[in-house]
């Protein structure tokens, strides 16, 4: 069975500081990995995706993520956080079928 | 990516009643999905809405409680039946384009059952 772990429930960073959100997945074969962001009262927006190829993927809003097969990780990074980045971030995995399995999310707070 | 709308955006309902949530997509898609996000929780897949056939439900979800319709390739409904306060959640629909693996989500329907 596929699963996702996001170890950090809450993270607080200062505006302009760098950010890294952790994601560990469990899947028996090659996974398809995603990061989504959910702003208060909003649906989920796709930030980036990894299917194959280059293990460093670029997304929208200046985000990037690195796939590390040896560590079963897909951490999300941003070099300089903006106050508007405050939201909840979800990592998700699928094996290519219909089911998208989400982590429990990381709530990001940005201090001005 | 597809543009997805949901109606209603929020509702407050009494226990024992039912609510039907609509999901409209601006393009034809094969795969549509319904998720539940309970307060402070992550998303859980309820079912896959198949056009022209019965929906496929995940473990723990049944058709009598969450009947789904998919009359065409751009529209689906989810009904939450005989509601209880435990059904208070955000319900989201999503779509997946042919040949793609990522899903795109609607804005969600925030349901409160009193």
């Amino acid at each position: 069975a596929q699963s996702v772990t996001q170890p950090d429930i809450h993270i607080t960073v200062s505006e302009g500081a760098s950010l890294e959100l952790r994601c560990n997945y469990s899947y028996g074969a090659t996974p398809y990995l995603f990061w989504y962001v959910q702003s208060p009262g909003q649906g989920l927006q796709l930030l980036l995706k990894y299917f194959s190829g280059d293990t460093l993927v670029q997304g929208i809003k200046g985000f990037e993520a690195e796939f590390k097969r040896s560590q079963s990780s897909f951490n999300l990074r941003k070099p300089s956080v903006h106050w508007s980045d405050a939201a909840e971030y979800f990592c998700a995995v699928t094996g290519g079928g219909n089911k998208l399995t989400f982590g429990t999310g990381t709530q990001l707070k940005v201090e001005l | 990516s597809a543009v997805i709308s949901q109606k209603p955006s929020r509702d407050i309902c009494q226990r024992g009643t039912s609510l039907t949530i609509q999901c409209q997509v601006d393009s034809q898609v094969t795969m549509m999905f319904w998720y539940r996000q309970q307060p402070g929780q992550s998303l859980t897949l309820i079912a896959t809405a198949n056009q022209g056939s019965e929906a496929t439900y995940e473990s723990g979800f049944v058709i009598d409680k969450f009947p789904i319709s998919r009359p065409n390739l751009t529209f689906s409904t989810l009904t939450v039946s005989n509601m209880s306060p435990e059904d208070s959640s955000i319900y989201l629909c999503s779509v997946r384009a042919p040949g793609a693996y990522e899903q795109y989500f609607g804005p969600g329907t925030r349901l409160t059952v009193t």
Side-chain angles (χ1 to χ4, degrees), chain A residues 36 38 49 97-98 102-103, chain B residues 31 35 37 42 96 102-103:
Chain A
Y36 287 87
Q38 186 178 36
K49 58 190 178 187
N98 292 337
F102 287 85
Chain B
M31 310 302 296
Y35 287 82
Q37 186 179 23
S42 185
R96 194 178 83 185
E102 66 270 27
Q103 293 181 22

Side-chain angles (χ1 to χ4, degrees), chain A residues 8-21 37-38 40 63 81-89 105-112:
Chain A
D8 304 306
I9 300 174
H10 300 279
I11 282 186
T12 300
V13 299
S14 299
E15 190 175 36
S18 63
L19 171 71
E20 183 170 26
L21 302 182
V37 60
Q38 186 178 36
F63 286 93
V81 171
H82 188 262
W83 65 266
S84 60
D85 292 325
E88 186 148 26
Y89 291 79
T106 298
Q107 187 72 45
L108 174 64
K109 179 181 176 181
V110 180
E111 290 182 333
L112 301 177

Side-chain angles (χ1 to χ4, degrees), chain B residues 47-60:
Chain B
T48 302
N50 305 307
Q51 196 269 331
S53 65
E54 295 254 336
T56 304
Y57 289 83
E58 296 297 305
S59 176

Side-chain angles (χ1 to χ4, degrees), chain A residues 24-74:
Chain A
N24 292 98
Y25 68 91
S26 175
Y27 185 70
T30 301
Y32 302 99
L33 296 157
F34 310 89
W35 275 99
Y36 287 87
V37 60
Q38 186 178 36
S39 298
Q42 304 293 314
L44 272 73
Q45 182 180 23
L46 180 66
L47 284 176
L48 47 78
K49 58 190 178 187
Y50 172 78
F51 295 157
S52 64
D54 193 346
T55 57
L56 184 64
V57 294
Q58 303 296 321
I60 62 172
K61 304 185 178 186
F63 286 93
E64 66 178 27
E66 186 171 12
F67 172 64
K68 293 185 177 180
R69 184 186 299 276
S70 62
Q71 299 177 19
S72 298
S73 69
F74 189 56

Side-chain angles (χ1 to χ4, degrees), chain B residues 35-112:
Chain B
Y35 287 82
R36 181 176 72 182
Q37 186 179 23
Q38 294 177 299
Q41 303 293 318
S42 185
L43 284 81
T44 302
L45 179 64
I46 297 171
T48 302
N50 305 307
Q51 196 269 331
S53 65
E54 295 254 336
T56 304
Y57 289 83
E58 296 297 305
S59 176
F61 297 96
V62 296
I63 187 171
D64 290 345
K65 176 68 175 177
F66 297 102
I68 288 170
S69 77
R70 180 84 196 272
N72 57 52
L73 292 175
T74 64
F75 186 79
S76 177
T77 67
L78 169 76
T79 298
V80 186
S81 303
N82 188 24
M83 288 184 285
S84 67
E86 291 70 35
D87 294 318
S88 297
S89 296
I90 300 173
Y91 292 86
L92 301 103
C93 70
S94 72
V95 303
R96 194 178 83 185
Y101 295 105
E102 66 270 27
Q103 293 181 22
Y104 295 95
F105 286 81
T109 296
R110 184 177 294 271
L111 170 63
T112 302

